[in-house]
Structure formats: structure tokens, C-alpha cells
Amino acid sequence: MSGKDSAAEDLAIDLAQAKMHHSLAKKALGEFWTKVYRSKAGSDDTRGLINAITTLDSHEQSAMSAFRQLLANHPTSVPIMRSYAFYLSDITDEKERAEELLSMATEIEDQESKQHALQQHQQQQQQIKKKKKVEMARNVKEEHPISALPIPE
């Protein structure tokens, strides 16, 4: 496996772990609110509420740490930005930061799209030039068979 493949695989694993912690934090958040609701309904489960808060905090911190590390190592990765933005919006309620990340991700995608379109245009122009050279060489050969140049492949 090449270094590039290994780095991409490491990135995918790290992103999957961050998403897993996001999912676990979301589950813990749900469990926390369930315990709060039950305590309002007369159930006194202080220990359960403390455990829910502890679990939520642990997964929230793990997810936050993982996403921050990923973003520090891959500051222009659109999937990381979008996943982190979803986490911020979903769990920490940091809507403004989430919007900033989504906006940056969109800008990067727009730039990549423009760059890709430019590359495609340049490739098409090169193909057209090559076809013109081949056609010119054929015309020279037909007009002057003895002094014709070889046709480029």
C-alpha cells in the first residue's frame, strides 16, 4: 500500500471514529433528556442523571477532540468540515461555527469544481491541437507524397 493510500485510509478511520463519537454523544444526549423528563414526572434517579451527563460529556469531548484534530490535519477536507459542522449543530448547538464551516466547504467545492472544469477544457484543447496536427500531416502527405512527414501517433 502506498503512503498516499495509507494516509487516505487513516483519514477514513479517524473520520469514522469522530462520527461514531458524534453518534454516541447524540444517543447519550437523548438518554440525558429522557432522565430529565422522568425526574420531572416524579422519578428520583439522580445517579442515572449523573451517569447520563458523564457519558454525554465523555462522548462529546471525544468527538470534539477528534474533529478538531482532523480539521487541524486536513484543513481543506470538505467531508471533515461537513461532518464537524453537523456535529456542532446537532450536539453543541454552535450554529454559527457550523454555518462558517459549511460556507468554507462550499467555497472549496466551488473552487475545486472550477479547477476541474479548467483542466477538462485544457485537455480538450490539447486533443483538438493534436487532431489538427495529424490532419495537417495527412494533408501534406496527400499533396506531397515524396516529401511527406511521418504522421504523429
Side-chain angles (χ1 to χ4, degrees), residues 5-25:
D5 291 340
S6 177
E9 187 176 308
D10 289 346
L11 171 62
I13 290 168
D14 291 345
L15 183 55
Q17 287 177 338
K19 287 179 176 182
M20 176 197 67
H21 285 293
H22 173 188
S23 178
L24 291 171

Side-chain angles (χ1 to χ4, degrees), residues 24-36 45-60:
L24 291 171
K26 185 172 185 163
K27 180 181 176 188
L29 185 60
E31 290 172 4
F32 166 76
W33 285 114
T34 298
K35 299 234 184 255
V36 168
D45 186 11
T46 307
R47 178 63 127 186
L49 195 54
I50 291 171
N51 286 340
I53 291 170
T54 302
T55 301
L56 172 59
D57 185 59
S58 172
H59 290 301
E60 188 175 331

Side-chain angles (χ1 to χ4, degrees), residues 2-132:
S2 74
K4 190 175 182 178
D5 291 340
S6 177
E9 187 176 308
D10 289 346
L11 171 62
I13 290 168
D14 291 345
L15 183 55
Q17 287 177 338
K19 287 179 176 182
M20 176 197 67
H21 285 293
H22 173 188
S23 178
L24 291 171
K26 185 172 185 163
K27 180 181 176 188
L29 185 60
E31 290 172 4
F32 166 76
W33 285 114
T34 298
K35 299 234 184 255
V36 168
Y37 175 75
R38 286 185 183 153
S39 71
K40 286 182 179 180
S43 171
D44 185 19
D45 186 11
T46 307
R47 178 63 127 186
L49 195 54
I50 291 171
N51 286 340
I53 291 170
T54 302
T55 301
L56 172 59
D57 185 59
S58 172
H59 290 301
E60 188 175 331
Q61 293 302 319
S62 294
M64 183 69 77
S65 175
F67 278 120
R68 284 182 176 164
Q69 186 65 42
L70 281 164
L71 200 55
N73 292 337
H74 309 279
T76 59
S77 171
V78 171
I80 291 171
M81 288 178 176
R82 292 200 183 283
S83 295
Y84 188 27
F86 180 56
Y87 165 78
L88 291 172
S89 179
D90 193 34
I91 302 299
T92 66
D93 202 37
E94 295 181 47
K95 307 279 189 218
E96 287 182 25
R97 178 67 177 136
E99 286 298 322
E100 289 173 12
L101 284 167
L102 292 173
S103 178
M104 288 173 22
T106 299
E107 286 179 27
I108 290 169
E109 285 176 329
D110 289 348
Q111 290 172 354
E112 288 174 349
S113 178
K114 288 176 185 176
Q115 185 177 12
H116 180 71
L118 177 62
Q119 288 172 343
Q120 282 186 320
H121 176 73
Q122 289 171 340
Q123 288 174 349
Q124 289 171 345
Q125 292 300 312
Q126 288 174 347
Q127 289 173 348
I128 289 170
K129 285 180 182 178
K130 185 176 178 180
K131 286 180 183 178
K132 285 182 180 179

Side-chain angles (χ1 to χ4, degrees), residues 137-149:
R138 283 190 182 132
N139 288 341
V140 167
K141 186 175 182 180
E142 288 173 3
E143 292 173 13
H144 307 286
I146 298 174
S147 63
L149 300 172

